[in-house]
Amino acid sequence: MLCFVAGRYEEGVVAARAAEDAAQAVTGPERRGLLARALAARATSLGLAGRFGQAGPVADRALPHAEAYGDPQLLASVLSVLRETARRAGRLREAIATGRRALALAERSGDPTATVFERANLAELHLLVEEVAEAREFAETAVRDTESHAVWCAPYALVALARVRMRDAGPGGSELLDPAERTAVTQGDHQAEYEVRSARAELAVREGRPEEALRLLAGYQEAGTAQLRAWALLACGRAAEAAEVAGAEVGRAERAGERLAETDARTARAAALAALGREREAAEGFDRAAVLAEELPYPAGARRVAGARRGGAGGGRG
C-alpha cells in the first residue's frame, strides 16, 4: 500500500507477490482473506504499472477468496479492483454494476473512505456512458461526505465533481482542483496528484492553454496521459508529434486490451492526421474509432469521435 501511494508500482507488484507467498503458508480461515488482499494489491499495482493484461486474471483470482472470507470491507476492495479492470477493458455497464455492489458493501461495512472512493469512481463511470445527472449526484455526495470524514479520499471526490462540471461546461471546476491538489500533496499521494494534474491538463486543453497542459503532464508516465498529451501537442501546432504519440498509444492500448484508451488514442491520432492533410488516413482512423466506440459501447467516446471529425477540440474524458 505504501508503494501504491508513493507511485512505486513495480515495487508494489513485488511486495504484493511476497505477501501472497506468505499467505499461502497460513493455516486457518484467515488464509482466504490474506490471499484476497494480496492478490487485489498485486492486480492494482500491475494495472498502474501499465501491465493491464496481467492485472485482470490476478483480480479474478482474488474474488472467490474474498467471497469465501466474508468480510464486506475486503470484498468491497476486491470488487473495486474488478470494477477498474472492467472499465479499462471497455465493459462499462459491468463496471457500473460492480461499482454499485462495491459501494453497497462499503456502506454496509461502515468504511467512509471506501464509500467516498466508490462514489467518486461511479461518477466518472456514469460520465463515460453520458449519464451526467447520475454522475453529478454521485460526485456531489462524495464531496459532501469528505467534509466530515474520509479526508484521504477528498482529492478523488473533488476531481470527479470537477470533471462533471467540465462536462457540463459549467463554472467552478478549476476551483475544486486547488483544495484537491493541496490535500494530495500534503498526504504524499502520488496517484491523487496525478488525477488532479490530468484533470487540470484536460481543462487547459479545453480552454486553449495547451502549453500549460504539456507542462502539467511532464514527468508522468501513467497509462492514460498519452492521448491527452497528443491533444495538447496538436493544439500547439505540433501535429506530427501528436500523431506519433497517439499512434504509439494505440499500439500499447490495443496490445493491453485497454479498449477505452485505444478508442481515445485512435481519435486523437485521426485528428492529428487530418491536421497534417492526410485526409484518407484520418477518415479511416475516425471510422475505426467510431466503430470501436459503438461496439463497446462507449457513448462519451463516440461523441468525441464525432466532435473531432467535425474539427472540434478533443482531450480528456468529458
Side-chain angles (χ1 to χ4, degrees), residues 2 25 40 53 74 90 101 124 131 133 136 157 167 178 182 186-187 196 208 240-241 248 255 260 273 275 296 306:
L2 287 170
L74 176 58
R101 185 182 172 196
E124 297 208 11
E131 294 172 351
R136 185 183 304 107
R167 169 63 179 83
D178 292 334
R182 285 195 298 272
T186 298
Q187 295 176 159
V196 174
E241 290 178 70
R255 290 190 300 273
L260 295 191
L273 292 172
L296 287 173

Side-chain angles (χ1 to χ4, degrees), residues 25-302:
V26 174
T27 58
E30 64 271 19
R31 175 177 178 274
R32 303 296 295 271
L34 292 169
L35 281 171
R37 196 177 303 280
L39 288 163
R42 183 150 67 97
T44 299
S45 296
L46 283 166
L48 290 168
R51 296 159 63 184
F52 177 72
Q54 299 171 50
V58 174
D60 290 338
R61 285 176 54 207
L63 183 60
H65 292 298
E67 289 176 327
Y69 190 62
D71 179 350
Q73 189 172 6
L74 176 58
L75 181 54
S77 71
V78 171
L79 289 170
S80 183
V81 178
L82 290 169
R83 179 251 306 140
E84 178 63 9
T85 299
R87 183 191 71 80
R88 291 172 72 166
R91 303 191 305 271
L92 294 176
R93 287 299 170 189
E94 178 186 329
I96 289 172
T98 303
R100 286 180 177 270
R101 185 182 172 196
L103 174 59
L105 285 164
E107 291 174 330
R108 188 176 123 202
S109 71
D111 183 349
T113 298
T115 300
V116 168
F117 194 72
E118 291 307 324
R119 285 195 175 117
N121 277 283
L122 279 165
E124 297 208 11
L125 281 168
H126 280 288
L127 279 183
L128 295 176
V129 295
E130 298 282 73
E131 294 172 351
V132 180
E134 290 88 341
R136 185 183 304 107
E137 181 179 355
F138 276 118
E140 289 178 347
T141 303
V143 170
R144 280 198 303 271
D145 285 350
T146 66
E147 293 172 359
S148 56
H149 48 242
V151 175
W152 179 83
C153 272
Y156 300 95
L158 290 164
V159 167
L161 184 54
R163 285 191 168 125
V164 171
R165 292 182 180 177
M166 287 159 57
R167 169 63 179 83
D168 283 343
S174 61
E175 288 84 352
L176 292 168
L177 298 176
D178 292 334
E181 185 168 30
R182 285 195 298 272
T183 304
V185 171
T186 298
Q187 295 176 159
D189 188 337
H190 175 90
Q191 186 63 22
E193 288 184 59
Y194 161 70
E195 291 294 335
V196 174
R197 279 183 170 256
S198 64
R200 285 195 190 280
E202 290 173 30
L203 189 60
V205 172
R206 288 167 182 266
E207 294 181 346
R209 296 176 281 112
E211 295 87 355
E212 181 181 342
L214 291 173
R215 179 183 60 78
L216 287 163
L217 295 172
Y220 282 90
Q221 300 300 321
E222 280 88 343
T225 62
Q227 61 89 13
L228 183 52
R229 185 176 286 106
W231 282 114
L233 288 167
L234 181 58
C236 287
R238 297 157 63 181
E241 290 178 70
E244 183 179 355
V245 169
E249 175 65 0
V250 168
R252 185 207 66 79
E254 189 172 22
R255 290 190 300 273
E258 295 191 44
R259 310 306 297 282
L260 295 191
E262 181 188 346
T263 305
D264 292 338
R266 287 189 183 282
T267 305
R269 182 174 184 270
L273 292 172
L276 291 168
R278 295 159 63 178
E279 295 297 338
R280 182 182 59 79
E281 293 174 82
E284 290 174 356
F286 282 131
D287 288 345
R288 291 193 66 180
V291 167
L292 184 54
E294 182 72 22
E295 287 176 347
L296 287 173
Y298 176 20

